[in-house]
Amino acid sequence: MPRRKAADRTGPVKTRSRDGCKECRASRVRCDTKKPICTRCQEKGLPCMKNLVLKWESEFISRGAAFGRAGVWNKTGANQPTCGSRFSETHEWCPVPTIGPWGFINSGVSTFEHPNEVNVDFDELNALISVAQTSNSPQLWSWLQHFPHLSGLSTKIHPSLSPSLALFPELSKSGHGELFDYYLQQVCPRTAASSVFSSPFASVVLPFCLTASPTLFKAIQALGACHWSRFNPSYAAIGLRYKSGALRDLRQRLSSQGSLTCSMDAEVLVIMIMLCLYEIVDKCDQQWTIHLKGANDLIRLRRKQQMTLGQPMAPSDPMTSFAEQFFAFQDVMGRTACAKEVLFGTDYWKPDERNVDLWMGCSPELVSILAKITDLSRTRRQNTSDADKASFSLRAASLERQLANLVQEVGEGDDEILAQVADAKRLAAMVYLHCSLYGAGPTTPLVKSYVRQILRLISDLLDRKSLVNVTWPVFVAAVELDPSDDEVFLKSEMESGSGRVIVLRSLATMADSTISNIARTRAVITKLWQTRDSDLMKGTVFQNQCNDWEWYVVPISDAMSLA
C-alpha cells in the first residue's frame, strides 16, 4: 500500500524528538519528554536520564569527516564546500590573550592579611640547607692536627691519641668542647670571602681567648651550637643554655663593675659580638639590635671618658678595634634597608682607606659612603626650599662621583674572589644611591644595567661555590630587579638566565656558606616580589612623595642584618 502524501494525512504530525531520554533512544521509541520523568520510563520503572554528547568540530576535521550535515546537502540543492576546502583558509576563532610577566604568587593567607609583615616561618628555605660535615669527618680530623691541644676533642675523635695539656682549660669544664671547634672550623670560614687570608674571627678572637674568662667561651659555644642547630636540631637547646649562661654572667659583670669599667674591657664587647651573632643566626629579629645598641652605649662611654682624660679615642688593641668595626658595620648595612636613625656615626670609618677588609668584603671608604647616602636619604623629603633642594643635589652628586672614582685594593696576595665581592658591593652601592636619592627604580636603564652586572658577578661566584659576604649585593639586586624584564646575560649574549632564578639559587647556596640569616633575607625578597607583581598586574603606582626604595623596601626590612 503506497504511503499517503503529507497533504492527505490527518492528525498531528509526529516528529522525532531531539530531547528524548536515554532509555527511549536506546529502544528506538519516541519519548514524550515529560518532566521530570517521561511516561514510558514512569510506567516501566526505568531511570529517565538524558544522554548529552558533546561533539567537537575539530575532532571531525582531524578525522577527515563531515561535522553533522555541513558540506553535504542543503534545501536549495547548492553545492556546499567540502570539509577539506572549508578549513583550508586560516581562521581566527578567538582573540589571542596578551601574555604578561609571571607573578611570584608563592604566598599564603598572611600575605594578604598582613601585607607589611614578613612571615619567615612560611618560607621553605630551611629545607634547602644541606647537611654539614659531622665531627667524625676526615676533613675535621685533618684540621684538628693543627690544633692538637683543644680540650675534649682529641680523645673523642681519635681515641688512640693520648690527652695533653689543654690550650683552653675552660673548655674542659663545659663538657661541649666540640662547639668551640665547630666555631673555629665551620663558623669562622663563613665570615670571610678571602681564599687566602684568615678571618679576623679566628686570627683576632682566637689569641684573645688565651686570657679570656669562662663567659666568653660560653658565648662562643652558644654561637657554635646555634649555627650547628641548623643542621642538627639537637644543638638548639644546648645553644640556648650557653646563651642564657653568658647573658647572666654579662649582667652580673655590668651590675658589679659598672658600665664605665666594663666599657674599658674589650672582652665585654667580644661577648656582645657573639651574642649578637647568635640572635642573627637564630631568628634575626629585634633581639640582635639590643646588643647593637648596648655596644654603642659602651663604646660612646669609653670614648667620652678618653676625651675627658685627654687620651686618643682610637683603640690601640686589635680586639677593641675589630669590635667597634663589627658593630658599626652592622649598623651601616642594616640601615640601608630600613633607613632607621644612625647609631654609629661616620667617625668609625677612614674615608680614604681603600684596602678591602676581610670580614666586610669591601673597603672602609665604601662603607663611609654608604653611611652618608643613608643619612642624606633621610633628609630628602624634608627639603622644602629651593636652597635645600640645591644643597641636596650637590651632596648627592658628590657621593656619586666618589663611588664612580672608588678604587678598592685587595692588598697583599692575589685573591680574585675577594676582589669580585668588593666590586659587587660597589655596584650595589650605585644602585642604592640612584634609588634612594634620585628616585630611580627597576625600570630605570641605569639601574637595570647595574643589577645585571651584579647578578653576573654573583653567578660567577656561584659557579666557584664561594658566596660569602655577598648578602647585601644579592639583596639590592633582588629588590631592584625588573619583574617584567629580568633576563641576565651571563658569560656572553648567547648564555642568559632569569635574574630571579640566579637570586634564589644564590640564596640557597648562601644558606650553607654564610652565617647570615638567609631565611629572613629570602622571606623579605619574596615578599617584595609578590608586592611588585601584584602592583604590576593591578597597575598600582606608589605614592609620589615616596621613591621606589621607600615604598617597597623600607616597610618590610626592619632589623635586617645585611653585613
Side-chain angles (χ1 to χ4, degrees):
M1 179 178 178
R3 295 181 62 184
R4 288 183 298 175
K5 297 181 179 181
D8 300 335
R9 296 174 187 169
T10 60
V13 179
K14 297 182 178 180
T15 59
R16 184 174 58 180
S17 172
R18 295 181 179 274
D19 298 326
C21 69
K22 183 178 179 180
E23 293 293 336
C24 292
R25 281 180 173 271
S27 302
R28 298 181 179 274
V29 177
R30 184 177 181 276
C31 180
D32 61 1
T33 66
K34 186 178 180 180
K35 305 297 181 182
I37 180 172
C38 70
T39 303
R40 180 173 178 272
C41 290
Q42 187 176 15
E43 292 175 352
K44 295 181 175 293
L46 300 175
C48 188
M49 296 181 296
K50 289 186 178 180
N51 187 17
L52 180 63
V53 179
L54 298 178
K55 298 181 180 180
W56 304 100
E57 188 174 4
S58 59
E59 296 180 2
F60 283 79
I61 295 173
S62 64
R63 299 197 307 265
F67 184 66
R69 291 180 174 81
V72 179
W73 65 275
N74 61 14
K75 294 181 179 180
T76 61
N79 293 331
Q80 296 292 324
T82 61
C83 190
S85 62
R86 185 182 180 201
F87 295 97
S88 60
E89 300 179 0
T90 302
H91 294 273
E92 183 177 351
W93 298 102
C94 61
V96 179
T98 302
I99 306 299
W102 289 101
F104 203 91
I105 58 173
N106 182 21
S107 58
V109 176
S110 61
T111 302
F112 306 98
E113 291 181 344
H114 308 285
N116 291 331
E117 295 182 6
V118 177
N119 188 354
V120 182
D121 295 333
F122 181 77
D123 193 85
E124 76 280 5
L125 179 66
N126 294 328
L128 300 177
I129 299 178
S130 62
V131 178
Q133 297 173 350
T134 63
S135 58
N136 294 323
S137 63
Q139 291 86 349
L140 179 58
W141 169 243
S142 63
W143 179 87
L144 282 175
Q145 292 178 345
H146 300 284
F147 296 91
H149 301 293
L150 285 179
S151 173
L153 291 174
S154 57
T155 56
K156 289 182 180 179
I157 299 177
H158 204 281
S160 63
L161 189 65
S162 58
S164 57
L165 294 177
L167 185 62
F168 303 111
E170 295 299 334
L171 290 177
S172 59
K173 304 176 183 178
S174 65
H176 285 283
E178 75 276 7
L179 296 177
F180 190 84
D181 166 72
Y182 184 88
Y183 165 81
L184 290 174
Q185 199 232 357
Q186 297 290 345
V187 175
C188 291
R190 287 175 165 87
T191 59
S194 175
S195 60
V196 179
F197 306 103
S198 177
S199 167
F201 281 89
S203 61
V204 178
V205 175
L206 183 60
F208 185 82
C209 290
L210 293 173
T211 57
S213 68
T215 306
L216 178 56
F217 285 96
K218 291 179 183 178
I220 292 176
Q221 289 172 289
L223 174 59
C226 182
H227 191 275
W228 205 342
S229 67
R230 298 165 65 185
F231 315 111
N232 188 346
S234 63
Y235 281 94
I238 299 174
L240 183 60
R241 185 170 68 250
Y242 276 111
K243 185 194 80 165
S244 300
L247 276 174
R248 183 176 59 253
D249 295 347
L250 181 60
R251 291 193 188 100
Q252 291 177 355
R253 182 180 298 190
L254 288 170
S255 60
S256 61
Q257 297 180 5
S259 299
L260 182 59
T261 303
C262 291
S263 66
M264 300 295 179
D265 189 356
E267 183 179 305
V268 174
L269 291 179
V270 184
I271 294 171
M272 298 178 77
I273 287 177
M274 300 304 164
L275 293 176
C276 181
L277 286 176
Y278 178 98
E279 299 297 346
I280 291 174
V281 174
D282 186 25
K283 295 181 180 179
C284 196
D285 53 12
Q286 293 289 345
Q287 293 297 320
W288 77 268
T289 62
I290 296 176
H291 299 289
L292 183 70
K293 296 174 182 177
N296 178 55
D297 294 338
L298 290 178
I299 293 172
R300 289 186 178 277
L301 185 60
R302 179 183 61 80
R303 290 192 167 196
K304 183 179 179 180
Q305 179 67 14
Q306 290 177 334
M307 186 182 298
T308 304
L309 299 176
Q311 299 176 354
M313 289 189 297
S316 57
D317 62 298
M319 191 67 257
T320 303
S321 178
F322 171 68
E324 289 188 358
Q325 191 181 70
F326 170 85
F327 287 110
F329 186 59
Q330 289 283 359
D331 180 48
V332 171
M333 304 311 292
R335 289 177 60 238
T336 58
C338 64
K340 288 296 181 67
E341 187 177 356
V342 61
L343 289 178
F344 292 81
T346 56
D347 55 335
Y348 290 90
W349 312 104
K350 296 179 181 179
D352 56 347
E353 180 59 53
R354 296 185 173 184
N355 288 329
V356 176
D357 182 83
L358 295 179
W359 176 66
M360 295 190 300
C362 61
S363 65
E365 183 178 2
L366 176 59
V367 181
S368 176
I369 295 173
L370 287 176
K372 294 176 182 177
I373 293 175
T374 304
D375 293 338
L376 186 60
S377 67
R378 287 174 51 85
T379 65
R380 186 182 62 84
R381 282 187 286 173
Q382 300 174 2
N383 300 325
T384 55
S385 64
D386 294 338
D388 292 339
K389 294 180 180 178
S391 176
F392 178 88
S393 300
L394 290 175
R395 293 171 62 188
S398 176
L399 292 173
E400 184 179 2
R401 286 193 300 271
Q402 291 182 46
L403 276 179
N405 299 326
L406 179 65
V407 177
Q408 300 186 96
E409 301 173 356
V410 174
E412 298 180 359
D414 185 15
D415 197 339
E416 185 181 355
I417 293 178
L418 187 60
Q420 284 185 309
V421 171
D423 193 33
K425 291 192 174 183
R426 180 188 62 83
L427 293 171
M430 293 295 291
V431 174
Y432 175 57
L433 181 143
H434 282 275
C435 292
S436 61
L437 299 184
Y438 292 149
T443 59
T444 305
L446 188 62
V447 171
K448 294 177 69 170
S449 174
Y450 283 134
V451 167
R452 287 172 177 172
Q453 292 181 56
I454 295 170
L455 292 180
R456 280 197 292 268
L457 286 173
I458 297 300
S459 178
D460 186 49
L461 291 172
L462 187 62
D463 294 337
R464 293 168 174 256
K465 298 181 180 180
S466 178
L467 284 176
V468 181
N469 278 350
V470 292
T471 305
W472 188 67
V474 169
F475 175 81
V476 172
V479 299
E480 291 299 333
L481 185 63
D482 188 357
S484 60
D485 182 18
D486 74 336
E487 187 177 31
V488 178
F489 291 102
L490 303 176
K491 297 178 181 178
S492 65
E493 293 189 358
M494 301 300 296
E495 181 184 0
S496 63
S498 168
R500 289 187 174 181
V501 172
I502 296 174
V503 170
L504 294 176
R505 286 182 57 209
S506 301
L507 291 172
T509 303
M510 288 162 60
D512 189 26
S513 63
T514 182
I515 62 171
S516 300
N517 195 305
I518 302 301
R520 172 74 193 282
T521 304
R522 187 183 192 277
V524 171
I525 290 173
T526 54
K527 175 70 176 182
L528 186 139
W529 285 352
Q530 293 166 1
T531 306
R532 281 198 188 279
D533 292 346
S534 176
D535 290 350
L536 184 65
M537 295 174 186
K538 295 185 297 186
T540 305
V541 180
F542 55 82
Q543 298 178 4
N544 294 329
Q545 64 268 27
C546 295
N547 57 36
D548 182 86
W549 193 271
E550 294 170 334
W551 182 257
Y552 287 104
V553 182
V554 173
I556 59 175
S557 302
D558 191 24
M560 286 192 66
S561 173
L562 298 173

